[in-house]
Amino acid sequence: MMNITIDGKATQVPAGSTILDAAKKLDVHIPTLCFLQMDEMKFNNMTASCRICVVEVEKRRNLAPACATPVMDGMVVKTNTIRVLNARRSVLELMLSDHPKDCLVCAKSGNCELQDLAEAFDIREIGVSGAMSTYRRDASPAIIRDMDKCILCRRCETMCNDVQTCGILSGVDRGFNAVVAPPFEMNLEDSACTFCGQCAAVCPVGALVERDHTWDVVTALADPEKVTVVQTAPAVRAALGEEFGIEAGTSVTGKMVAALRQIGFDHVFDTDFAADLTIMEEGSEFLDRLTRHLDGDTSVKLPIMTSCCPAWVKFFEHQFPDLLDVPSTAKSPMQMFGAVAKSYYAELLGIPREKMVVVSIMPCLAKKYECSRPEFMVDGNPDVDITLSTRELARLIKLMNIEFNALPDEDFDAPLGYSTGAAVIFGVTGGVIEAALRTAYELHTGEKLDKVDFEDVRGMDGVKSAKVQVGSHTLNIGVAHKLGNARKLLEEIREGKSQYHAIEIMSCPGGCIGGGGQPYHHGDVELLKKRTAAIYDEDLAKPERKSHENPYIVELYEKYLGKPLSEKAHHLLHTHYFK
Ligand code: HC1
Ligand code: SF4
C-alpha cells in the first residue's frame, strides 16, 4: 500500500492507484474533463490531454495531472493552491478561446461539462483570442457531429474504438488542424457507424449530440387530422426520473404514462407489448431451428442471435456480411409495434395507416436511424414515424409545462399497452434471452416453469454464459453487451468454434438502460446498476412474467396473426438484412 496526503488528509491506496483515485477515496474533488473511467468494464480514457485535473506535488517542479499520475509512497499533494487554480483557469480559457460561444442554442446547454467548469472557475471573460477552427457540420439521421465544439478529449474514440470496436472515430491531423473524424472525413452516415450513440453518451460538450425530433412531435400533436400513438421502450421508465431530480433507480412508469397523456397523445401504448410479441416470434424461430438441427438438418444455422438492437444489426451488416443468416429474422419490438399499430390497430380504429402517427420513446439513438430504414415502410409511409430519446421526452414534458414529479401514476391503454415482466427486462443485458427462455421452456416441454429468474444471464459481465436444461436438452446460452464483446462471439461463429445455441447481443453498456439517448451515464457503472435494479423490480411486480401469458398477445394471434411464424406474422413481424 502507498501512503499519500492530499490537502492535509492522509490515506493509503494500492500501488498503481492514481492521485485521482486517492482523492476520490478521501472525498477531495478534483475536476476532470477528458478522463472517463469504466473500470469495471476495463475501459478508461486516460489521455491526460485536457490538464484540468493538475495538482501540485511536493518536491516536484511541474504540476501533475491527477488522473494519470501514479501515487508514490509518502506523496504530499495540494489541489487548491493559487498555482493550481491559475493553471486550470488558463487551460479553460485556452479551450474556450477556440470554442463557439453559442451556449444559448447549444443542444448540450445545461448538460455541458465545459460550461459547468467555466461557471465553477468563475470565468466571465476570455483573455485569450485568436483563430477559431471551423469544420463542416455532419448531420446523420441519429447523430449530429459539430467538430467546432470538440475539445479533443478523445472520450468518443475510446468508446468507438476500444469498447465498441467500430473504428469510426479517430484523431487526424496535428496541432490547430487536429480533429476527430470518420475515415477520410466522410459523413457518419456514409461510414460503418452503427449509430450506437456511445460517443455522444460520453462527449463532455456539444460536439456529438442526438438529432432532435421534438418539434416534429409537437407539430404532429397539433394536427387535428392525425391520430397520435406513442410507445415507450422498456429502459426509458428506469431513467426518465433522473431528468427531474428523482433518485436514480426509481422506475417512473406511471408518471411517464400520465405525462404522455397530458402532452396530448391519443393512445399511450408500450413497446413492452411488442417485446412480448417478439418473444413469441423469436422464441418460435429458435425452437424451430433447434428442432430441425436436432433432427439432423445441416442447413439450419445455430446459434441464433437476437436482432432487436438496431446498432447491433448495423454492426453485423457492416462487419460480418457473411453471417447474415445467423441472427433471428424477427424485427425489433419497436418496429413490430409500428407494424401492428398501423395494420391491426388502425383497422380496429377504422382509419387508414397514413392518418396515424406512431411516435416511439427510446433510450437509443440508433432507433432514430432504424425507423428510417426503407424496409420498415409501406409505400413510403413508415411504421414508426418519429423517435424521441429519453432526454428529448424529458424536454418535451418540460416544454409542455407539466409538473412531472407531482403527476399521479396512470396505466397504459389497452390493448397495445399491456405487457408482462418478461417484456420489461428487455431493457437490461441478458433480459431478452431470459424472457425467451421463460417462454421457450414452457412451449417446448409443455410443463410449467416454476423458477422464472435465470440469474446466470444477469449482471454486468461483458460476456456471460449459461447452461439451461429444457426438457432433455441442455442449451448453451451466451449473452454479450457492448459491440467489442459481440465481435468476439461473432468471430467464434465465423471460425466454427461457437459453443452456443442462442446468443443475445445488446450494443450499449448494461443493455438499453445505458443507451445513447438516456440521461448521460458518463460511464458510471453504479448508475447503470441502479437502473438495472429498477427494471428487475418492475418484472417482479407484474401479474404475468412470461410473454405467452399476455392475454392481449393471445388475442392478437387469435384474431389477426393466426400463430407464431404464420404467413401474416412473417409479413408483418420479420425482416431481412443487407450487405
Ligand atoms: Fe431496447 Fe428493445 S429493449 S432494443 O434495448 O428490444 O432502444 O429499452 O425498446 O425495439 O422492447 C431500446 C430498450 C427497446 C426494441 C424492446
Ligand atoms: Fe462509433 Fe457508435 Fe459513435 Fe458511431 S455512434 S461513431 S459506432 S461510438
Side-chain angles (χ1 to χ4, degrees):
M1 295 293 275
M2 301 278 166
N3 293 293
I4 179 168
T5 305
I6 305 181
D7 295 345
K9 297 183 190 173
T11 190
Q12 287 192 323
V13 287
S17 305
T18 63
I19 295 176
L20 188 63
D21 293 330
K24 280 186 184 157
K25 194 172 170 206
L26 287 167
D27 272 335
V28 173
H29 174 68
I30 296 177
T32 56
L33 203 46
C34 66
F35 179 72
L36 175 74
Q37 187 165 42
M38 301 183 78
D39 237 0
E40 195 163 346
M41 298 188 178
K42 312 274 186 294
F43 295 106
N44 298 323
N45 190 52
M46 289 174 60
T47 53
S49 60
C50 78
R51 315 309 268 195
I52 284 291
C53 68
V54 287
V55 293
E56 221 171 301
V57 181
E58 204 174 83
K59 296 189 191 137
R60 282 203 195 179
R61 186 185 310 169
N62 295 331
L63 297 177
C67 73
T69 307
V71 172
M72 310 291 275
D73 198 32
M75 218 175 210
V76 177
V77 171
K78 289 193 179 134
T79 72
N80 52 9
T81 62
I82 186 71
R83 189 174 163 220
V84 166
L85 298 180
N86 271 333
R88 290 181 188 161
R89 285 190 103 219
S90 300
V91 163
L92 272 174
E93 286 195 50
L94 279 169
M95 267 182 207
L96 291 167
S97 72
D98 185 21
H99 194 86
K101 315 293 181 296
D102 62 355
C103 296
L104 275 180
V105 291
C106 178
K108 221 39 190 305
S109 193
N111 266 314
C112 172
E113 294 177 44
L114 185 61
Q115 194 181 49
D116 290 348
L117 284 169
E119 165 66 18
F121 281 85
D122 198 29
I123 301 212
R124 297 290 168 243
E125 56 187 303
I126 296 150
V128 193
S129 64
M132 300 268 293
S133 346
T134 49
Y135 299 98
R136 191 174 45 83
R137 199 161 168 270
D138 170 11
S140 77
I143 293 170
I144 311 271
R145 265 180 75 239
D146 184 352
M147 288 301 108
D148 290 359
K149 294 182 177 163
C150 176
I151 57 167
L152 293 169
C153 72
R154 307 292 170 89
R155 285 187 189 173
C156 59
E157 287 183 63
T158 296
M159 292 308 279
C160 189
N161 302 326
D162 299 348
V163 179
Q164 302 295 56
T165 64
C166 291
I168 306 303
L169 297 175
S170 56
V172 293
D173 237 320
R174 290 284 183 278
F176 192 68
N177 294 326
V179 63
V180 175
F184 311 110
E185 299 193 35
M186 62 173 64
N187 289 334
L188 275 183
E189 195 173 3
D190 301 325
S191 75
C193 171
T194 64
F195 298 130
C196 72
Q198 285 306 311
C199 50
V202 298
C203 176
V205 291
L208 290 157
V209 293
E210 76 249 40
R211 186 175 193 138
D212 193 309
H213 292 93
T214 312
W215 217 251
D216 297 338
V217 174
V218 173
T219 307
L221 288 165
D223 185 344
E225 296 300 312
K226 298 291 185 193
V227 174
T228 51
V229 169
V230 66
Q231 54 161 321
T232 59
V236 173
R237 66 209 70 199
L240 177 64
E242 293 165 30
E243 292 282 323
F244 297 91
I246 296 174
E247 199 184 335
T250 309
S251 183
V252 293
T253 313
K255 287 187 192 305
M256 176 180 72
V257 172
L260 291 166
R261 235 173 238 130
Q262 283 199 20
I263 286 170
F265 286 101
D266 296 312
H267 304 274
V268 180
F269 289 145
D270 200 357
T271 314
D272 291 24
F273 170 84
D276 279 332
L277 185 58
T278 302
I279 290 303
M280 299 304 292
E281 292 297 320
E282 205 167 70
S284 302
E285 188 185 354
F286 172 49
L287 286 178
D288 177 59
R289 283 204 211 176
L290 182 69
T291 313
R292 284 163 51 210
H293 169 77
L294 293 171
D295 288 346
D297 182 346
T298 50
S299 69
V300 171
K301 290 281 173 166
L302 281 180
I304 191 171
M305 300 181 99
T306 58
S307 54
C308 36
C309 168
W312 152 237
V313 168
K314 200 155 184 292
F315 180 81
F316 69 66
E317 285 183 330
H318 282 295
Q319 314 266 350
F320 294 85
D322 50 322
L323 298 181
L324 296 190
D325 52 355
V326 175
S328 161
T329 59
K331 287 181 188 173
S332 73
M334 179 184 87
Q335 290 303 147
M336 282 199 187
F337 182 96
V340 168
K342 287 204 176 178
S343 57
Y344 173 67
Y345 195 61
E347 286 169 35
L348 277 181
L349 294 178
I351 60 168
R353 60 176 285 133
E354 292 75 21
K355 200 175 163 60
M356 183 180 278
V357 176
V358 174
V359 176
S360 64
I361 313 294
M362 294 283 138
C364 166
L365 300 190
K367 291 281 177 193
K368 287 173 180 279
Y369 143 80
E370 183 186 25
C371 72
S372 73
R373 287 180 66 132
E375 67 269 29
F376 299 137
M377 299 189 184
V378 176
D379 298 331
N381 178 265
D383 290 340
V384 175
D385 296 82
I386 310 166
T387 294
L388 295 188
S389 67
T390 310
R391 294 189 295 265
E392 286 168 278
L393 173 61
R395 276 204 292 279
L396 181 59
I397 292 169
K398 289 170 191 168
L399 177 73
M400 293 295 189
N401 212 11
I402 293 167
E403 208 182 320
F404 186 79
N405 296 21
L407 288 172
D409 285 350
E410 292 183 14
D411 286 332
F412 288 105
D413 294 319
L416 307 188
Y418 195 89
S419 63
T420 71
V424 74
I425 61 173
F426 266 56
V428 292
T429 170
V432 179
I433 210 82
E434 179 168 343
L437 287 169
R438 292 179 190 178
T439 285
Y441 181 93
E442 293 204 353
L443 295 189
H444 186 67
T445 63
E447 293 166 15
K448 185 167 168 1
L449 178 67
D450 290 323
K451 187 177 178 316
V452 301
D453 301 321
F454 290 86
E455 306 283 351
D456 290 352
V457 297
R458 298 184 179 187
M460 285 291 177
D461 289 349
V463 178
K464 291 164 279 185
S465 299
K467 287 195 187 303
V468 177
Q469 198 63 32
V470 175
S472 55
H473 310 301
T474 306
L475 299 183
N476 289 329
I477 303 296
V479 177
H481 60 127
K482 298 185 262 89
L483 291 169
N485 293 318
R487 180 183 289 282
K488 289 179 204 153
L489 298 186
L490 276 165
E491 276 167 359
E492 283 176 11
I493 295 172
R494 190 181 258 165
E495 289 162 17
K497 292 180 186 161
S498 180
Q499 49 160 326
Y500 298 115
H501 296 102
I503 297 175
E504 176 204 293
I505 305 285
M506 284 291 174
S507 298
C508 293
C512 289
I513 48 122
Q518 292 280 65
Y520 293 105
H521 61 65
H522 301 299
D524 181 349
V525 179
E526 291 310 312
L527 173 69
L528 299 182
K529 285 182 181 168
K530 287 181 186 166
R531 293 178 187 170
T532 301
I535 293 276
Y536 285 122
D537 285 349
E538 192 145 328
D539 167 32
L540 263 179
K542 289 275 191 178
E544 294 95 10
R545 297 182 65 200
K546 300 164 200 155
S547 296
H548 56 288
E549 291 177 352
N550 181 332
Y552 292 99
I553 291 286
V554 174
E555 185 178 275
L556 176 66
Y557 278 107
E558 278 172 7
K559 287 191 175 161
Y560 199 68
L561 296 172
K563 58 181 181 149
L565 307 183
S566 69
E567 203 182 318
K568 193 157 192 171
H570 256 293
H571 173 65
L572 281 176
L573 309 177
H574 290 256
T575 187
H576 47 279
Y577 306 111
F578 297 91
K579 287 192 180 175

